[in-house]
Amino acid sequence: MKPDNTSKYAANRFSIAPMLDWTDRHCRYFHRLLTNETLLYTEMVTTGAIIHGKGDFLAYNQEEHPVALQLGGSNPQDLATCAKLAAERGYDEINLNVGCPSDRVQNGRFGACLMGEPQLVADCVAAMRDVVDIPVTVKTRIGIDDQDSYEFLTDFVSIVSEKGGCEQFTIHARKAWLSGLSPKENREIPPLDYPRAYQLKKDFSHLVIAVNGGVKTLQETKEHLQHLDGVMVGREAYQNPYILAEVDQQIFGLDTPIKKRSQVVEEMYPYIEQQLSKGAYLGHITRHMLGLFQNMPGARQWRRYISENAHKPGSGIEVVEAALAKIPKELDV
Ligand SMILES: Cc1cc2nc3c(=O)[nH]c(=O)nc-3n(C[C@H](O)[C@H](O)[C@H](O)COP(=O)(O)O)c2cc1C
């Protein structure tokens, strides 16, 4: 059966997770060349950065659509101000970060610690929904510290959906320890509990529920989609981006041709040239492409050539061309 791609939440069937310092706009442009349908999340952007920061924290390329802005914050008015700006700029969704456990984020009283303040999260979502027409969604964990019962999660989801009006949740299916573990450890040590996310969908069947955490293949994605509305993939999509090349076909049911890796590299050239002409550094773009040939002969040479040359002053497209030439042509499939 072909999936229904027409619902306003259809893109959420498969998404790439918000990842600070990784899913910047260069990365998202690159990922978009691999998959047309996947929903792309920005890195978390704090309300403070948007409201007080120097620079344009909402900049993105039009090619990235559908693209969701992830906000970090807990002041309803500030979040509403940022959501409105983002909607005016054309973002397709606003997502609130209720999953990040870093100390810096906790000091700002946002991220995963907000799981302990569901009424505040509801107020934040309601304030944003009041001022935008696009979906306002929440990304969260299954618990924090010792508050890790199923009831804790359902209380959170009940309050945020009923009082805040949130219709969609992405559940990173492990809890977070707010102290004692680094953010990296908090993505690895607490065990994954997918059945809990499945149960949540059963108990809140009217909500759109996506799962996140530890998904590495499209086969696993399809299995989760038997139980849930969506799957969000983070590290694997970044480190092994070619898994994205068959998402449109396998997950969204399209019959568009699957691109070769070299084609994706070549399609990056005009973008790279345009960005370099605006003052970007080659290495800031190519760093997201290093994993494209993962597990292929020549992958190490590709990676090494780019790593050693892309940061040199004046480096341009020729560095990428030379790196691509390291890949045996007959193996570029
Ligand atoms: C480098 C890095 C940065 C991240 N930054 C964010 C972030 O800004 N916001 C957020 O909600 N989660 C962030 N995460 C967590 C991911 O969105 C995701 O929940 C987590 O990596 C688990 O998914 P995965 O196992 O598919 O990677 C980050 C993860 C990584 C690896």
Side-chain angles (χ1 to χ4, degrees):
M1 195 178 72
K2 273 205 160 201
D4 169 18
N5 291 337
T6 57
S7 119
K8 71 173 172 170
Y9 291 115
N12 297 73
R13 191 173 308 133
F14 190 86
S15 63
I16 302 180
M19 289 178 282
L20 212 54
D21 198 38
W22 287 10
T23 52
D24 64 15
R25 63 198 180 90
H26 300 317
C27 176
R28 298 190 305 264
Y29 186 94
F30 169 58
H31 286 167
R32 178 58 71 223
L33 292 177
L34 285 152
T35 163
N36 207 38
E37 305 297 314
T38 299
L39 177 64
L40 306 178
Y41 281 84
T42 68
E43 319 167 76
M44 178 184 72
V45 186
T46 64
T47 52
I50 295 171
I51 295 171
H52 307 293
K54 293 195 177 72
D56 181 2
F57 289 89
L58 296 176
Y60 71 98
N61 308 290
Q62 284 307 318
E63 291 82 353
E64 291 170 34
H65 288 295
V67 58
L69 173 71
Q70 189 188 55
L71 287 174
S74 61
N75 177 304
Q77 282 71 42
D78 288 352
L79 285 163
T81 301
C82 294
K84 194 160 188 294
L85 288 171
E88 285 164 5
R89 294 286 289 270
Y91 279 94
D92 299 289
E93 175 189 314
I94 308 289
N95 177 265
L96 181 64
N97 182 342
V98 187
C100 177
S102 88
D103 288 345
R104 196 171 60 83
V105 160
Q106 284 182 58
N107 290 337
R109 199 164 151 237
F110 57 89
C113 62
L114 285 179
M115 269 201 101
E117 299 191 65
Q119 184 56 55
L120 176 59
V121 175
D123 293 345
C124 291
V125 171
M128 289 190 276
R129 279 172 49 92
D130 274 351
V131 295
V132 300
D133 293 328
I134 53 177
V136 176
T137 67
V138 165
K139 176 170 180 275
T140 190
R141 298 265 184 154
I142 56 174
I144 41 170
D145 296 335
D146 292 324
Q147 297 176 293
D148 58 2
S149 66
Y150 182 61
E151 287 65 38
F152 176 73
L153 178 62
T154 55
D155 282 352
F156 176 82
V157 169
S158 298
I159 293 170
V160 176
S161 60
E162 284 162 26
K163 301 197 171 159
C166 185
E167 294 172 359
Q168 188 187 324
F169 293 80
T170 299
I171 309 290
H172 182 176
R174 47 164 66 92
K175 72 170 177 178
W177 287 102
L178 295 182
S179 55
L181 292 189
S182 68
K184 185 168 184 292
E185 289 168 330
N186 254 316
R187 292 192 284 268
E188 286 159 8
I189 293 175
L192 284 161
D193 187 349
Y194 296 131
R196 198 160 274 205
Y198 299 169
Q199 188 61 42
L200 197 67
K201 176 65 195 176
K202 279 195 186 134
D203 293 338
F204 294 85
S205 56
H206 59 293
L207 298 178
V208 176
I209 310 269
V211 74
N212 165 243
V215 180
K216 289 191 185 304
T217 65
L218 298 189
Q219 188 51 42
E220 288 167 43
T221 299
K222 287 182 198 170
E223 282 156 25
H224 289 308
L225 288 174
Q226 304 286 322
H227 306 272
L228 293 152
D229 303 296
V231 174
M232 172 187 271
V233 178
R235 288 163 289 185
E236 190 65 16
Y238 188 84
Q239 286 157 355
N240 182 20
Y242 199 66
I243 65 154
L244 301 172
E246 291 189 36
V247 168
D248 292 355
Q249 297 75 11
Q250 291 201 34
I251 307 299
F252 290 94
L254 303 186
D255 53 11
T256 45
I258 297 165
K259 291 180 187 173
K260 287 182 179 183
R261 293 168 171 84
S262 60
Q263 184 184 348
V264 177
V265 174
E266 282 160 12
E267 286 181 9
M268 281 296 285
Y269 293 167
Y271 176 77
I272 293 174
E273 281 183 332
Q274 178 216 51
Q275 293 297 315
L276 295 181
S277 74
K278 289 182 183 169
Y281 288 103
L282 181 67
H284 289 172
I285 304 172
T286 53
R287 72 194 182 99
H288 306 300
M289 301 164 65
L290 293 176
L292 184 62
F293 292 91
Q294 182 157 306
N295 302 325
M296 300 268 298
R300 195 177 308 146
Q301 290 89 321
W302 154 265
R303 187 182 269 277
R304 187 187 304 150
Y305 192 86
I306 291 188
S307 303
E308 286 173 359
N309 294 289
H311 64 278
K312 292 181 183 160
S315 286
I317 204 86
E318 68 290 345
V319 170
V320 190
E321 285 170 336
L324 186 57
K326 311 264 174 213
I327 306 291
K329 279 248 171 327
E330 67 283 7
L331 294 173
D332 173 31
V333 286

